Amino acid sequence: MAQTTAEFLIEQGKAEGRAEGRAEGKAEGRAEGKQDAVLKLLQLRFQNVPETLSHEISNIQNLSLLDTLLERVMTVQSLDEIDAHYLTGRD
């Protein structure tokens, strides 16, 4: 049986929605992985990471900012440097 134009468009929309959902899921997964890495490095360097800072980092979705944080965690001298320089004005 031939598919109507409406049926075709509905199927196409569903396929596009699934693709968009997968892409969003991958981006969220990458962000979560980087958030976890930043937090783990902070814990290794400074032992006690305040819950407020941990929460702020866990809410960052900007992959570029997370990359910057990941790199800088190794050189900052205190947790205050992370808070002051990288979390203020974030996305």
Side-chain angles (χ1 to χ4, degrees):
M1 179 167 149
Q3 189 176 38
T4 66
T5 301
E7 291 169 335
F8 172 77
L9 292 173
I10 289 170
E11 288 301 317
Q12 186 177 8
K14 286 180 184 177
E16 288 174 6
R18 287 189 296 269
E20 288 174 8
R22 282 191 298 272
E24 288 176 15
K26 287 179 183 179
E28 288 174 13
R30 284 192 300 271
E32 288 175 8
K34 290 180 184 198
Q35 293 162 356
D36 290 345
V38 168
L39 291 170
K40 180 69 173 178
L41 287 173
L42 285 172
Q43 289 169 348
L44 287 170
R45 289 211 55 218
F46 302 106
Q47 287 75 42
N48 295 318
V49 178
E51 185 65 32
T52 54
L53 180 57
S54 178
H55 182 71
E56 284 288 320
I57 291 168
S58 294
N59 284 326
I60 297 171
Q61 295 299 312
N62 182 314
L63 296 176
S64 179
L65 176 56
L66 288 166
D67 282 338
T68 299
L69 281 170
L70 194 54
E71 293 169 2
R72 295 299 302 195
V73 164
M74 298 309 296
T75 60
V76 295
Q77 299 301 311
S78 72
L79 290 172
D80 290 335
E81 289 181 52
I82 294 291
D83 191 31
H85 297 290
Y86 298 102
L87 298 179
T88 54
R90 69 174 177 81
D91 63 355

